[in-house]
Amino acid sequence: MKLAENYAQYVTLKNAIACLAAFIAYKIIAQIIYYRFFHPLRKFPGPFWASVTRLWIGYHCWMETELPTIYKLHEKYGPVLRITPTLLLVSDTQKLPLIYHRAANKTNHYVTGSFGIVESLFNIKEHKAHAKLRRIAAGPYSFSNIKKMEPLIDARMTEWANTISKRFAKTGKAFDLCDWAVFMAYDIVSEIGFGTPIGFVPAGKDIGGLIEGFHVGIRVFGIMARFHPFMTWIKTTPLGKYFVAKPEDESGIGALMRFRDKLLTERLSDISAGKAGDRVDLLQTFLDARLENGEPLDLEYVKAEILLVLLAGADTTGTTFQAMFYYIMSTPGVYQKMMSEIDAATTAGHLSLGIPQYDEVLAHCPYYIAVVHETMRLCPSAPNIFPRVVSEPGLDLYGKVAPPGTEITCNPWMLHRNKEFYGEDADVFRPERWMESPERTRELQKYNFAFGYGARVCLGKDIALVELYKGPLHFFRTFEAKLVDEKKPGRFVVAGGVGFWLDMQVTVKERDVAKG
């Protein structure tokens, strides 16, 4: 009895807290020792803190310093970096096929619930499950299907150019091209996605704060993905529901979900009433698609895919247009050379006087096409990490082996600046590199990572290229644009692994050649 009383005097709140603190300290020290001295990746170079905790990458992601920090580390350590205790970043173009091969599985980095409970094709981890569903989902994104939608794209581009002419060219008012590039992209993607544009262009503003909400939400998504072991655990707790996006959310993503659900309900009602007609938008092609057993796709999955089209397809394409303007206007000689080609093709009757057609641009504007690809090389719209799991029997990286199960990734922003592949001018905007020879062009295309790589290349690639081959060309042919302040050509921001430009104030006036 006396012994129990003696022990009881030590059971106090103060001592309990001290024991808890000691346990936490022990776990932290043990983790540091294990990751630093005993983990299979201990032999790979990188910052000390990156090797022992994900807080390092999380901090740089949040502070928007991830790209310049890692770029400098590559200069110091070489092409392979350990950027978390379990993740290697490789910036060697030749390693792309070895990392992103057909049987490579994705990691839990992609499964966070940031865009809803049901994951889209993009988030599926297991390669066999992905391949099976991709065969079905690829139909709506096929080039032949996208070509059928070209008139829809033309209608939105015409409205966009006419609105810019009326609001700005005729008044001389300055405007932020960053905003208007994304307005066009969102209205086009919602048009071909649902058959109804959101209406950013006629409104001339970010309706409901959808774009701003996405930019805020994507920062959080990037952090959650980089802390995916924690997110995987927390989703098993009662707190998990607060980390899954829902239509009821007040965020921009929640608003887009509500917009999506409203149009889906209307479409299903039209189909039931026999009013759907001959729709050619993505929503209808997803609704018409059938599984191998003849059953339609699950509606929740259709919702996930359409939301991804809105979130990823619009903002990323707008980013490339913004970057094109920046590089074209800041690189001597590029604008003049590009406009000479466009004007010559127009005068010769090779480009339609309304909206140039995709096939026309592809056939008669090779320098402009090179400008598009060089822009995506230097400024990929998703300068992010895309982790895979190293397969058996492991991967040799310059004499050091990454064992099976290791997380490994590339980042297009880093990869596209590899001087061993692109030359000493890898940091320079030079469209001519895409025109040196057919063999070199094929090589550049083979190792380009702007749309992903291999069996998981972005399904929306053809949508993006149709927009980029047409929209910016139509803008430059129609308007002569100038920066309001050449010392402020815009600034590139990376939030959560997604890039976009801000503060690109311009004035425009109409060009005579565009009038035929």
Side-chain angles (χ1 to χ4, degrees):
M1 188 70 176
K2 188 174 182 180
L3 182 62
E5 291 176 355
N6 289 337
Y7 278 116
Q9 65 178 323
Y10 295 105
V11 183
T12 64
L13 178 60
K14 181 178 179 180
N15 287 343
I17 294 174
C19 288
L20 179 61
F23 176 75
I24 293 174
Y26 161 76
K27 293 290 289 184
I28 291 173
I29 293 171
Q31 173 178 294
I32 290 175
I33 292 173
Y34 170 71
Y35 282 138
R36 193 64 185 171
F37 300 107
F38 298 100
H39 193 274
L41 301 187
R42 64 188 181 277
K43 52 187 173 293
F44 290 97
F48 170 80
W49 289 112
S51 71
V52 298
T53 175
R54 288 179 177 267
L55 290 173
W56 183 87
I57 194 70
Y59 168 81
H60 285 291
C61 178
W62 184 259
M63 297 301 293
E64 300 173 6
T65 56
E66 188 174 311
L67 292 183
T69 300
I70 292 178
Y71 186 72
K72 290 180 180 178
L73 288 170
H74 272 309
E75 292 180 333
K76 179 179 180 180
Y77 293 113
V80 182
L81 294 173
R82 187 184 184 189
I83 60 171
T84 82
T86 60
L87 175 64
L88 297 177
L89 173 64
V90 180
S91 295
D92 180 351
T93 310
Q94 304 297 325
K95 298 296 184 184
L96 265 176
L98 301 178
I99 295 171
Y100 295 92
H101 58 86
R102 186 171 297 276
N105 291 329
K106 288 187 171 183
T107 74
N108 284 334
H109 175 94
Y110 298 86
V111 187
T112 63
S114 300
F115 303 132
I117 296 176
V118 177
E119 304 287 359
S120 68
L121 185 68
F122 175 76
N123 304 97
I124 294 176
K125 295 188 299 179
E126 209 278 324
H127 72 278
K128 291 182 180 178
H130 172 271
K132 182 178 180 179
L133 191 55
R134 187 181 176 102
R135 285 193 292 271
I136 300 165
Y141 291 100
S142 68
F143 182 72
S144 59
N145 196 53
I146 301 305
K147 279 288 288 177
K148 293 177 184 177
M149 301 179 192
E150 194 166 5
L152 301 178
I153 296 172
D154 291 351
R156 298 281 66 82
M157 287 182 176
T158 299
E159 179 186 50
W160 178 71
N162 290 343
T163 303
I164 289 178
S165 177
K166 181 179 179 180
R167 283 176 177 254
F168 307 115
K170 288 181 168 58
T171 64
K173 292 181 179 178
F175 64 101
D176 192 340
L177 184 63
C178 293
D179 290 341
W180 283 84
V182 178
F183 292 168
M184 177 189 70
Y186 265 97
D187 276 1
I188 288 175
V189 165
S190 55
E191 173 78 80
I192 65 178
F194 299 106
T196 302
I198 296 176
F200 289 111
V201 170
K205 64 179 181 179
D206 179 7
I207 297 174
L210 298 182
I211 299 171
E212 182 182 2
F214 172 65
H215 288 167
V216 172
I218 201 68
R219 179 194 294 266
V220 177
F221 165 72
I223 295 295
M224 291 167 64
R226 282 156 178 76
F227 287 101
H228 69 77
F230 171 75
M231 293 308 305
T232 300
W233 168 77
I234 204 168
K235 284 193 296 183
T236 65
T237 73
L239 295 175
K241 61 182 180 181
Y242 298 108
F243 290 87
V244 177
K246 303 176 291 297
E248 297 78 23
D249 293 344
E250 293 300 319
S251 67
I253 292 175
L256 280 174
M257 284 179 157
R258 292 192 293 275
F259 173 78
R260 170 205 65 188
D261 292 350
K262 173 178 174 291
L263 292 180
L264 177 58
T265 300
E266 292 174 356
R267 179 65 57 84
L268 293 174
S269 177
D270 287 345
I271 292 173
S272 297
K275 300 177 182 178
D278 297 325
R279 300 275 190 173
V280 293
D281 53 53
L282 285 173
L283 174 58
Q284 191 61 44
T285 51
F286 272 114
L287 292 174
D288 292 340
R290 291 294 181 268
L291 298 169
E292 293 176 352
N293 61 6
E295 292 293 317
L297 298 175
D298 181 78
L299 274 183
E300 291 303 316
Y301 171 72
V302 172
K303 288 182 180 181
E305 285 295 343
I306 292 296
L307 182 65
L308 184 66
V309 171
L310 277 173
L311 291 174
D315 210 86
T316 52
T317 305
T319 296
T320 301
F321 185 7
Q322 296 160 356
M324 282 181 68
F325 186 85
Y326 171 83
Y327 285 118
I328 288 168
M329 303 309 290
S330 62
T331 308
V334 171
Y335 177 77
Q336 291 78 7
K337 188 172 183 178
M338 181 186 75
M339 294 312 303
S340 294
E341 178 184 77
I342 292 172
D343 289 345
T346 300
T347 302
H350 296 316
L351 296 180
S352 301
L353 288 178
I355 304 297
Q357 297 303 288
Y358 174 87
D359 292 335
E360 297 171 349
V361 177
L362 196 62
H364 300 290
C365 298
Y367 186 75
Y368 174 80
I369 297 295
V371 168
V372 173
H373 286 290
E374 182 71 347
T375 299
M376 290 190 290
R377 180 186 75 84
L378 272 185
C379 188
S381 53
N384 203 354
I385 54 175
F386 297 93
R388 296 292 189 269
V389 178
V390 173
S391 306
E392 295 283 355
L395 180 61
D396 183 278
L397 297 170
Y398 318 100
K400 300 174 182 177
V401 177
T406 299
E407 290 183 285
I408 193 165
T409 188
C410 294
N411 181 318
W413 196 91
M414 306 291 169
L415 206 67
H416 293 169
R417 285 166 169 77
N418 180 358
K419 292 183 179 180
E420 290 189 10
F421 182 75
Y422 291 100
E424 288 301 313
D425 66 346
D427 292 325
V428 177
F429 184 80
R430 187 172 65 85
E432 289 80 4
R433 77 175 74 245
W434 294 84
M435 305 173 69
E436 292 171 352
S437 71
E439 294 76 21
R440 179 57 173 164
T441 300
R442 285 193 292 271
E443 188 178 34
L444 291 173
Q445 291 171 341
K446 176 181 178 180
Y447 292 106
N448 187 270
F449 198 41
F451 289 103
Y453 193 84
R456 300 230 191 192
V457 70
C458 176
L459 279 173
K461 177 180 178 179
D462 287 332
I463 299 175
L465 290 178
V466 169
E467 289 184 61
L468 291 170
Y469 285 4
K470 294 160 65 74
L473 188 151
H474 183 55
F475 174 82
F476 283 110
R477 187 176 65 167
T478 305
F479 305 107
E480 180 182 340
K482 290 185 177 180
L483 287 165
V484 172
D485 186 347
E486 292 187 358
K487 295 180 180 179
K488 297 179 180 179
R491 57 190 179 91
F492 186 55
V493 175
V494 179
V498 173
F500 52 92
W501 291 76
L502 298 172
D503 304 329
M504 199 175 284
Q505 292 290 324
V506 302
T507 57
V508 296
K509 62 180 182 180
E510 294 189 8
R511 300 178 71 246
D512 292 335
V513 68
K515 300 175 183 177

